[in-house]
Amino acid sequence: MKTDIPVFDLIDQCEFKIADPFDLNARLFPALEQSLPDKLIGTFETKVYKTWLHLGFNGESLVSVFYNIIADRLQQDRYDGYFDHLSDLEVDTIVSDFRSVVEDEERHREIFYAIIKKLDVDIEGYQPDFYDPNNKDYQESVANGITKNVMGEAVDNPTLLDQLTAILTIETYLLATFSMFYKTTTNENKKLIFKSFLQDESRHVAHFTRLLKQARVPKEHIDQADRRIILNILDNSNFELIALIKYLRDIVKNKDKQSAIINNVYKDTFHQTFKHIYLTKCWQFYNILHPNVSEQEFVKIIDDFDVLNLEYRGRLQ
């Protein structure tokens, strides 16, 4: 759906610097000042911004192809029978909604591309010519990849449930991130850019949540995917949690100290608000699969994990 906000004109009017591209009112991780020297914090936050922009560009490129594949499968065979109970009109409506979401994602890809271009920095693995939804080689790469893995984890013959919950997780992560950047940027033009993102991502999360409600998901698919769903949610349950853990493992050798730093970092308002937005939205789709699990119980499931002992598998990219 087209936005009334002139996003690309606003980007042209803005200056972006990689140390703080969105002019936030504070550092991303101010509590790190209690544990690490300023230079190491600056290095880490710059890396986070680069990784986040790379994830955004690659993710939007991927789903621009992936969502069309799902829409095509819906028309061909109701996606393995998940939607056999729906009328042709209902399926056509879902497919039309998917095509609209794809238009949004293609525009988001161009927004990320425009911001990265203005930054004029090297980002490892950034290949815009290949990660192009119109590139046949890239289309084949995506089509092949989604049959073998979910969120970077090797999975034989992933079900639609596997893919939908992975999609909802990353869409929700982006929604929570855009929300926090919108709340904390001090630049009015950039606030409008994030407002346009927020409008779209809110609609996307609602679309996929509604889709999951409409689907008839076999119980065995839920049982097979349950732990993977929880781990996918956990990966992003705090802003850039994986990146922080990896960085601390490189520079802080004591595991107790790593844990203490992580617990302290995520106590501030920015990170607690991010987590609340993210987990609330994640619970809403998890509750479709597990209607007897309350939001409080769901949050406890996530919080009870010792994140330092998890084997992280990567995210959609």
Side-chain angles (χ1 to χ4, degrees), residues 156-172:
D156 291 332
N157 299 314
T159 66
L160 180 60
L161 176 63
D162 288 321
Q163 301 293 13
L164 278 182
T165 49
I167 288 166
L168 271 162
T169 300
I170 202 65
E171 293 278 7
T172 301

Side-chain angles (χ1 to χ4, degrees), residues 5 82 93 103 117 124 137 141 149 180 199 216 220 224 226 267 287:
I5 299 172
Y82 271 63
T93 299
E103 289 182 10
K117 187 175 181 179
E124 184 178 354
D137 290 338
S141 174
N149 71 79
M180 295 315 301
Q199 290 172 342
R216 285 186 177 167
E220 59 267 30
Q224 291 167 5
D226 197 50
K267 285 180 178 178
N287 187 241

